[in-house]
Amino acid sequence: MSLRLDGRRLAEELEKRLQFEIKAGIAKAGRPPGLAVIRVGDDPASGVYVSNKEKACARIGVASFGTHLPGTTSLEDVINTIKALNSNENVDGILLQLPLPKGIDEAPLLMTIAPDKDADGLHPLNLGKLLKGESGPRSCTPAGIMALLARNEIPLEGKRAVVIGRSILVGKPMALMLQAANATVTVTHSVTKDLESITRQAEVLVVAAGQAQLIGADHVRPNSVVIDVGIHRLPSGPSIGNKSRTRLCGDVRSDEVSSIVSAITPVPGGVGPMTVAMLLVNTVNRWQEHCGLSCNLGDLLP
Ligand code: NAD
């Protein structure tokens, strides 16, 4: 049976470490770290994600400056909200919850977030720093995956890694981080031909296609490590009254793949909790820098 790469457990460990960092620095800083999550509109999944992030902040002593704007808000008003948070000295990190309602373009909004308060690592300047190998806030999902691989002592140097997906949120920064760790990386996408022949070469396979149960036994190399980034809610049986029964699954058919590979992330409980943990890491790291404290979290920012 394969090793279960337990993101929930590691996220709990990281929260304890961050609590320690906050306790150690708060007297000198004179205030706790602050995170502002901006939500625009009423996408129900985003509601759950924002609430999970705010609960995580409360658990470790990060102050939340959440802002929920109606879906009808103009681009200019969202920009003004971001600018106000940029100049709020109690806010160390700002995150714009995606996706935005139709008609609001995310690019100018991500550009408006002050690069040194960019809790999600998606500002073009910070993506450029990642490209150049300079330190800075890192995209939370791929950084969380790197932490999970490191914690489980999975070697990357000289390994063949394949990333499925080339989004700015996951696939592209993931490929850069794996490359920085000296893996030999191939990126595949929706136009890739003969995906299986490429993924079967992977010693480390990161699947971020956003396609439920895309990857099965025929796609994986024996004894490889598989990271399943996808999250999907599928019907799990007939509805009871007007309540539909659902279950969560990833981009990987884990029932087929688990017995072939050496390690795999579960869904839920793998990459998801690590994404939230890395948001906290970025925020506490920004706070340490803003308040002139020593920054001890560099090992988590690949
Ligand atoms: P996206 O839709 O922006 O990008 C998907 C990428 O996959 C694209 O580059 C596309 O070319 C590629 N792709 C699609 N179908 C493919 C196929 N059949 N073969 C090969 N490549 C294919 O999605 P995203 O934002 O990168 O997220 C990917 C998935 O990860 C989604 O399910 C999302 O919900 C999930 N996600 C989870 C977390 C987490 O914390 N667990 C965080 C972010 C995203």
Side-chain angles (χ1 to χ4, degrees):
M1 200 57 195
S2 58
L3 173 67
R4 187 173 179 273
L5 301 173
D6 190 338
R8 197 166 284 148
R9 199 176 58 196
L10 179 54
E12 281 169 15
E13 277 177 28
L14 291 179
E15 284 190 9
K16 288 203 183 90
R17 182 171 162 193
L18 294 173
Q19 270 173 319
F20 175 83
E21 291 291 331
I22 294 170
K23 275 199 189 120
I26 198 158
K28 185 174 174 203
R31 63 172 181 85
L35 174 67
V37 179
I38 305 168
R39 183 179 169 208
V40 188
D42 290 309
D43 176 62
S46 292
V48 175
Y49 294 146
V50 170
S51 148
N52 285 345
K53 287 167 186 173
E54 288 177 349
K55 280 184 199 151
C57 284
R59 279 198 299 274
I60 69 161
V62 169
S64 284
F65 294 82
T67 309
H68 187 183
L69 302 169
T72 49
T73 309
S74 67
L75 183 73
E76 194 188 355
D77 283 350
V78 187
I79 286 181
N80 287 335
T81 301
I82 295 173
K83 283 183 175 164
L85 292 166
N86 282 345
S87 45
N88 183 337
E89 287 184 357
N90 292 317
V91 172
D92 298 288
I94 302 171
L95 175 143
L96 179 67
Q97 184 66 40
L98 302 175
L100 295 169
K102 281 197 173 66
I104 302 185
D105 183 7
E106 67 190 47
L109 299 176
L110 292 174
M111 275 290 273
T112 305
I113 294 173
D116 80 316
K117 292 193 176 186
D118 177 22
D120 227 1
L122 293 179
H123 188 286
L125 186 86
N126 291 324
L127 290 170
K129 284 185 172 176
L130 171 64
L131 188 69
K132 289 190 77 181
E134 293 174 9
S135 62
R138 293 294 194 239
S139 316
C140 297
T141 302
I145 292 169
M146 293 301 284
L148 198 52
L149 291 169
R151 180 70 178 78
N152 287 279
E153 297 178 355
I154 291 170
L156 294 172
E157 182 142 327
K159 299 290 175 189
R160 265 198 97 87
V162 173
V163 178
I164 305 183
R166 58 176 167 183
S167 73
I168 281 292
L169 192 63
V170 187
K172 280 186 179 139
M174 184 78 256
L176 288 170
M177 288 178 199
L178 289 167
Q179 213 172 52
N182 290 328
T184 302
V185 185
T186 303
V187 177
T188 66
H189 48 76
S190 54
V191 191
T192 298
K193 292 203 169 65
D194 196 7
L195 184 69
E196 286 174 30
S197 70
I198 299 170
T199 55
R200 272 201 299 263
Q201 295 173 32
E203 294 171 285
V204 176
L205 176 64
V206 180
V207 190
Q211 305 285 330
Q213 302 191 314
L214 174 74
I215 298 302
D218 292 346
H219 292 85
V220 297
R221 170 173 169 155
N223 296 318
S224 59
V225 173
V226 173
I227 306 293
D228 189 355
V229 184
I231 313 177
H232 312 273
R233 195 170 280 283
L234 296 184
S236 67
S239 319
I240 305 169
N242 57 2
K243 271 203 158 177
S244 56
R245 280 193 290 175
T246 60
R247 68 185 172 94
L248 289 177
C249 75
D251 285 1
V252 178
R253 281 172 254 145
S254 56
D255 50 338
E256 280 181 25
V257 166
S258 293
S259 57
I260 303 171
V261 301
S262 62
I264 186 166
T265 54
V267 178
V271 175
M274 290 306 299
T275 299
V276 178
M278 293 313 299
L279 175 68
L280 300 175
V281 167
N282 274 336
T283 303
V284 174
N285 178 258
R286 298 290 84 216
W287 171 73
Q288 290 178 325
E289 195 173 292
H290 294 154
C291 297
L293 305 168
S294 54
C295 297
N296 301 318
L297 300 167
D299 59 306
L300 295 169
L301 299 167

